[in-house]
Amino acid sequence: MTAPFGPYLRSLRQSAGLTIEELSHTSGVSVRAIGDMERGVSRGPQRRTVQALAEALGLDTEQQAELADAARAGRPRAADQVPEPPRGYGLPRGPAHFVGRTAELELLGEHGRAAFGDDRTPVVVVHGPGGVGKTACVVRAAELLREAFPDGQVYVDLRGVDPEPMPTAEALRRLLLAVGLEPRAVAEDEQERADQLRDILAERRCLVVLDNAADEAQVRLLLPGDGPGMAIVTSRRTLAGLDGVTRIPIAPLSSRESAELLRTVSGGGREVAAGTEEVEPEDEDVARVARLCGHLPLALRIAGTRLASRPGWTMHYLAERLSDEDRRLANLAVGDIGVEASFSLSYLALPDQARECFRRLALVPAVDFGAPIVAVLIQADLDDAEDQLDELVDLGLLQPEGAGRYRFHDLIRLYANRRLHEEETADARATAERRMVSWLLETATTAGRVFEADGDVPPHPDRLVPLTTPDEAKAWLQAEKDTWLAALRLAAASERDELVAGLGESMRWFAADAHQWSSDWLEVFGLTLAAAARLPDRRRELWHMNRHASALLTVAIQRQSGESVLRERVEYAMEAYRLAEHAGALQEQADALCNAGEGWLHVGDAEQMLDAYSRGLELAQASGYHQIYSWATSGIGTALDILGRHDEAVDIYRALLRSTDGVPDLSAAAQHGRAGAAFRLTEALLAAGRFREVVEVGEPALAELVQLASGWTPFLHWTLGRAHAELGADREARQHLVRMIELVEDHGAWKPKPSTLARAKSMLADLDAKEAG
C-alpha cells in the first residue's frame, strides 16, 4: 500500500537531496504549497501539481505512478461530496415580476440542456450595463434549468464593481465549500484550489453562476474545464479576453415589455385609498414613463415601486416628475437602491482619463458620435480617443452604434452630465464646449468647400477627419449632420458670427445636393443670415439673404404650398434683389432674380419666370458669375417650354449640355446642374413630340441622375414612361412608371403634384389592363 502523500513526498525530496525551496524553484510549486503537502494539510494535490513535482524530483515511471496514486487517495471521493451548498452560496432570490428576455433565456437553456458528457464545459458570459437586469435574467434561467443540473447550482457574487472586488482565491474557497469540500481540505495555493475545483466539477452535473465579475483575470481560474456542468458569468464588461465562451448581451427592454413590467410592478402591490376605484393608467402615460426610464429594468422597477407605495400618485403625475431632467435620476431611487448609484459603480471603476472622457461626452449635442469629436473634447489623438471609447463600451457606459459610432443610453447621458457639472468647473466646461463647437463648424466648413470645389482645398489642419474628396466631405457632412447643426445653434446663440456665417457660405452646393433636408437648410440659412446681419459687410448679408430666400422657396415647393405662400416667397426674393440693386451688388442681384424665377415657375407665371431668369443671366454674364450660368439658362429653357416654344427650349438645353461636354472632374454643383438640364431637355422634346429623342437623351441621363441621387430622378422616369408609351414600348413604359411611383411613395423622393402622380397611376392601370386584355 502506498504511503500517504505528504510523508511520501518528503522522503522523495530528501532522497533527491533537495530543500523545499529548491524543489519549489525547480517545479514552480510554491514553498507554502509544498509545506502544506508534506504536513498533511493538503493531502490530495491535483494532477498538474503532482506531475510538476515528479519531473522536478526526476522520478522514474514507477515512482511517478506511486506518487500519483498517493495524491489520488488523498482527494475527497465524489461519493463523499454531496452537492448540498452551505447556506449563503445558493442562488439569490429572483425578482417577483419577470418580463421579457425570451431569446436570452432560450439561448441559455440551449447551452444548459446541451451540457453533458466529458466535453468542455460550456461557459456563457451575460454582459450589459448596470441596471439592465443581467442577474435577474441569469437567476430566471437557473430556475428553469434546475432539473437539468441534479448535482446542484452554486452562486458567488464576485463584487466586480466594488472598490475591492473579491480576490480569486477567496472566490475559489467559497466555490469549493459550496460543492461540499471540507474546509480543512481546501488548498492554500490559488492554483491548487483551481485544480481542486476543476477536478470536482469534472464529475458533477452542476451549474456555477459567477455574478458581477470585474474582469477576465478574476474569472479565469474559476471556470470549469471538461465535464457535464455549465458556468454562467455576468459582468458589466464584455470580458473579451476570455476565449471559447458564448457571449449574450443584455439590452434594455422593448417598449411593450417595459410597459408590461411597469404595469405589473405598479399595480401588483399598489394600495387603493378607501372609497376609490383603481383606474388603469392611460397607455400614453405608461409609455411615457417607460421611455423616461430608458426601458431600463432597474429604473422601471423603481418607478413602479414608487407608484405602488403612493396611493395618491397617478402614472401621469409620475411621468411629470420624471420629465424634469435635473431631477430624474433623483426620482429613480427608492430605499437603498437607485439608478444613479448603479451607474456610479461603473464610473468609479474607470481610470481617470476614461472618467474625463465619459463626463465630456455629455457635451456632445447629438444622439450619436464618432471618435474624432471625442479626441477634440479630451485633447488627445485619435487612437487614444478610441481606446477611451472602448473602455466605456466594455463597461456598458456607451453603446456601439454601427461602425465607429457610439451613443449613450438616455439615463447614462443624464448621469454623465451630472458628473460633468459636479466635477468640472464652469470655465472648464465652457472651454471644452467652445473647442468642440469650433472644431465641428470649422470641419463642416472645410467639408462644404471640398464638396463644392473644382480644384484642391487645403485639408482640415487637425487631420482627425479625411476630407480630401467630395465623397469624403459628403459622407462626413451626412454622418455628422445632427452634430454640426446643433453646434451651429450653439455658436449662433453665442453670436460667434464669423464662424456661423462662414459655415453658411460653404454650404450652398451641398444644400442643393442634400435637398431632402429642406427644413434643416431653412434653419441653417436663417441662422447664418442673422449672423451676417451683425457683421459689417452688407454684401455678405445679401448673399445669406438669397440663400434664405432659396430655402424658403424649396420648403414651400416641397410642401406643395398654395399660390399665396409662393407669391410671398417670390416677393421676399425680389426684396433681396432690390437691396442688392441699391448696393450695386450684381452677383447678388442675379441670385435673387433666379430665386424669383424659380418661384414664378411654381406660381405658374411663365412670362414672369422668363423675364426673371433672362435678367438674372444678363447680370451673371456682366459680373462673371459663372456659377449660376446653368441655373439661369436652364430656367430660360423651362419658361420657353411652358410658353410652347419647345424647339427654342431644346436648343437652349442642348447648348447648355454642350458647354460641359468633355469637361473633366466636374464639381458636384456642376454635375447637378447638368443633370437638371438633361431632364429639362427631355421635357421639351416630349412637348415637341420628339419621342425617340426623349429616349435617346433620357436613358443615359437617368443613369447620371441615379448616381447623383438627384431629386429629378422620379420626374425623368415619368417623362420616359410617357415617351415609351407614345412609341408603343409598353413594357419599358410600365417599368418607368412603376419606378416613379415607388420613388415617390416608398423612398421619400421629391414629389410631383398630386395630379401628376394620379395621372401616372392611371396610365399604369391602363397599361396593365391592356396587357391583361
Side-chain angles (χ1 to χ4, degrees):
M1 178 177 178
T2 304
F5 182 82
Y8 188 42
L9 174 64
R10 183 184 294 112
S11 68
L12 291 171
R13 176 179 61 76
Q14 291 172 345
S15 297
L18 298 174
T19 65
I20 289 179
E21 289 77 10
E22 289 170 335
L23 179 57
S24 171
H25 177 75
T26 307
S27 66
V29 180
S30 71
V31 170
R32 181 175 180 178
I34 295 173
D36 285 346
M37 295 175 207
E38 292 191 357
R39 293 194 307 274
V41 175
S42 175
R43 294 176 294 173
Q46 306 307 306
R47 286 186 290 266
R48 283 181 292 181
T49 302
V50 174
Q51 183 65 31
L53 292 169
E55 291 175 0
L57 291 166
L59 303 183
D60 59 29
T61 303
E62 184 178 352
Q63 289 174 312
Q64 288 187 32
E66 290 175 350
L67 187 65
D69 288 343
R72 192 177 300 110
R75 294 178 197 137
R77 293 177 299 157
D80 298 331
Q81 300 175 37
V82 179
E84 188 67 36
R87 185 176 301 171
Y89 297 113
L91 291 167
R93 181 178 179 225
H97 310 292
F98 188 87
V99 170
R101 307 303 184 202
T102 303
E104 293 87 348
L105 290 173
E106 181 59 32
L107 192 54
L108 286 165
E110 288 176 5
H111 281 79
R113 290 185 291 273
F116 64 89
D118 296 327
D119 293 336
R120 193 166 186 82
T121 300
V123 178
V124 179
V125 174
V126 176
H127 62 90
V132 81
K134 300 179 294 296
T135 301
C137 179
V138 169
V139 169
R140 179 65 171 166
E143 292 170 351
L144 296 173
L145 289 169
R146 192 178 303 279
E147 293 184 3
F149 296 100
D151 293 332
Q153 299 176 330
V154 294
Y155 169 92
V156 174
D157 180 357
L158 298 175
R159 304 199 304 267
V161 291
D162 285 9
E164 294 291 334
M166 181 181 290
T168 300
E170 172 60 17
L172 284 164
R173 185 188 72 81
R174 294 190 179 206
L175 287 168
L176 287 167
L177 295 178
V179 297
L181 196 63
E182 290 295 326
R184 63 187 176 84
V186 176
E188 290 295 324
D189 180 72
E190 183 179 89
Q191 183 61 57
E192 284 285 314
R193 290 181 180 181
D195 291 340
Q196 286 180 309
L197 182 64
R198 284 179 178 150
D199 279 352
I200 293 171
L201 293 178
E203 302 173 2
R204 304 283 189 87
R205 189 152 173 75
C206 181
L207 173 64
V208 178
V209 177
L210 306 173
D211 194 20
N212 195 12
D215 52 34
E216 296 90 339
Q218 185 191 32
V219 169
R220 196 168 277 115
L221 289 180
L222 307 180
L223 300 178
D226 296 339
M230 177 182 179
I232 305 176
V233 185
T234 76
S235 179
R236 298 189 181 199
R237 297 185 181 275
T238 59
L239 304 184
L242 296 179
D243 53 6
V245 305
T246 298
R247 289 181 177 78
I248 301 178
I250 302 293
L253 296 172
S254 68
S255 298
R256 182 191 59 77
E257 292 166 342
S258 298
E260 181 183 348
L261 179 59
L262 187 57
R263 287 184 185 279
T264 304
V265 175
S266 65
R270 191 175 180 191
E271 298 177 0
V272 183
T276 66
E277 294 184 2
E278 185 171 13
V279 179
E280 185 75 8
E282 293 291 337
D283 288 346
E284 57 267 27
D285 289 327
V286 173
R288 186 178 171 203
V289 170
R291 186 171 60 253
L292 292 170
C293 289
H295 305 291
L296 197 69
L298 176 62
L300 291 162
R301 292 184 186 281
I302 291 172
T305 300
R306 296 199 72 185
L307 192 61
S309 63
R310 291 165 173 79
W313 284 21
T314 64
M315 194 69 74
H316 181 77
Y317 177 72
L318 178 59
E320 290 298 308
R321 287 179 67 97
L322 293 176
S323 295
D324 182 355
E325 287 194 352
D326 293 334
R327 295 285 302 158
R328 188 178 304 162
L329 292 176
N331 279 311
L332 289 174
V334 59
D336 62 346
I337 301 173
V339 170
E340 184 170 8
S342 177
F343 295 160
S344 292
L345 294 173
S346 295
Y347 176 71
L348 294 173
L350 294 170
D352 289 343
Q353 190 175 12
R355 289 188 197 180
E356 180 191 48
C357 177
F358 176 75
R359 295 191 303 268
R360 295 280 176 87
L361 284 173
L363 293 170
V364 177
V367 173
D368 64 315
F369 44 84
I373 197 172
V374 179
V376 173
L377 283 168
I378 64 174
Q379 295 180 282
D381 62 33
L382 201 56
D383 290 340
D384 194 18
E386 289 173 345
D387 289 343
Q388 304 312 313
L389 289 167
D390 286 343
E391 180 77 20
L392 297 178
V393 169
D394 190 45
L395 205 48
L397 291 171
L398 272 186
Q399 303 169 20
E401 185 82 358
R405 307 291 297 178
Y406 306 85
R407 68 181 297 157
F408 273 126
H409 182 277
D410 290 345
L411 293 179
I412 295 179
R413 178 185 287 277
L414 293 180
Y415 176 72
N417 190 56
R418 174 165 294 189
R419 295 271 57 79
L420 178 71
H421 281 76
E422 291 185 0
E423 297 184 32
E424 302 203 22
T425 66
D427 285 346
R429 296 195 303 270
T431 299
E433 182 178 79
R434 186 178 182 87
R435 183 170 61 249
M436 174 191 68
V437 168
S438 296
W439 179 81
L440 281 167
L441 296 189
E442 288 165 3
T443 303
T445 299
T446 299
R449 289 172 178 162
V450 170
F451 183 83
E452 175 183 351
D454 291 316
D456 293 332
V457 172
H460 198 44
D462 59 25
R463 300 185 183 278
L464 290 173
V465 179
L467 296 175
T468 56
T469 68
D471 286 343
E472 288 177 342
K474 181 177 180 178
W476 188 87
L477 288 167
Q478 289 177 329
E480 298 290 352
K481 188 257 287 186
D482 291 342
T483 315
W484 62 255
L485 180 53
L488 182 68
R489 296 184 189 111
L490 291 170
S494 301
E495 296 191 1
R496 299 178 68 182
D497 296 331
E498 188 62 48
L499 192 62
V500 171
L503 177 127
E505 287 154 13
S506 74
M507 288 290 167
R508 174 173 186 172
W509 300 113
F510 180 66
D513 180 78
H515 52 79
Q516 69 274 21
W517 301 347
S518 57
S519 296
D520 292 322
W521 293 123
L522 183 57
E523 180 184 10
V524 166
F525 290 121
L527 293 172
T528 65
L529 173 58
R534 291 188 291 266
L535 295 171
D537 189 340
R538 293 280 66 80
R539 288 195 61 172
R540 289 183 77 181
E541 180 183 358
L542 289 168
W543 189 95
H544 286 275
M545 188 175 180
N546 278 326
R547 300 289 72 71
H548 189 231
S550 177
L552 282 167
L553 267 169
T554 300
V555 169
I557 292 165
Q558 290 189 356
R559 292 177 181 173
Q560 299 179 354
S561 302
E563 182 179 332
S564 61
V565 173
L566 290 168
R567 286 186 179 276
E568 288 175 6
R569 302 296 184 257
V570 171
E571 178 54 33
Y572 183 63
M574 291 306 296
E575 180 184 351
Y577 166 73
R578 289 188 289 272
L579 290 172
E581 185 180 35
H582 180 73
L586 298 184
Q587 292 186 0
E588 285 69 26
Q589 291 177 57
D591 256 338
L593 286 167
C594 287
N595 279 332
E598 188 71 12
W600 288 124
L601 166 64
H602 292 276
V603 168
D605 192 330
E607 292 287 358
Q608 292 272 31
M609 176 187 175
L610 180 60
D611 178 67
Y613 274 122
S614 298
R615 291 163 61 198
L617 181 59
E618 290 174 6
L619 289 164
Q621 290 170 331
S623 60
Y625 192 15
H626 302 289
Q627 286 181 307
I628 66 166
Y629 276 11
S630 63
W631 182 17
T633 304
S634 182
I636 292 169
T638 301
L640 291 170
D641 195 29
I642 294 171
L643 292 169
R645 296 157 63 178
H646 306 305
D647 291 333
E648 291 179 68
V650 167
D651 291 341
I652 287 281
Y653 290 127
R654 288 199 186 280
L656 183 56
L657 289 171
R658 282 196 300 272
S659 70
T660 55
D661 280 345
V663 176
D665 300 322
L666 284 175
S667 68
Q671 291 178 52
H672 280 276
R674 180 180 172 84
F679 163 69
R680 296 295 190 189
L681 173 58
T682 62
E683 283 281 278
L685 289 168
L686 183 72
R690 295 155 68 172
F691 306 122
R692 195 163 301 282
E693 290 179 75
V694 173
V695 174
E696 291 170 356
V697 173
E699 293 291 357
L702 182 61
E704 291 185 32
L705 265 62
V706 170
Q707 185 176 2
L708 291 169
S710 171
W712 294 116
T713 305
F715 295 91
L716 184 51
H717 277 295
W718 169 230
T719 303
L720 284 167
R722 288 177 288 164
H724 278 297
E726 292 288 348
L727 292 169
D730 292 351
R731 183 174 63 85
E732 290 80 1
R734 189 180 188 285
Q735 289 174 346
H736 284 293
L737 294 172
V738 168
R739 186 57 181 153
M740 175 245 190
I741 295 168
E742 286 177 349
L743 287 171
V744 171
E745 295 187 337
D746 298 337
H747 299 284
W750 274 12
K751 291 180 171 56
K753 294 179 180 179
S755 59
T756 302
L757 185 60
R759 285 176 59 202
K761 290 181 176 180
S762 175
M763 188 173 174
L764 181 60
D766 290 343
L767 289 171
D768 288 342
K770 180 180 177 182
E771 183 179 0

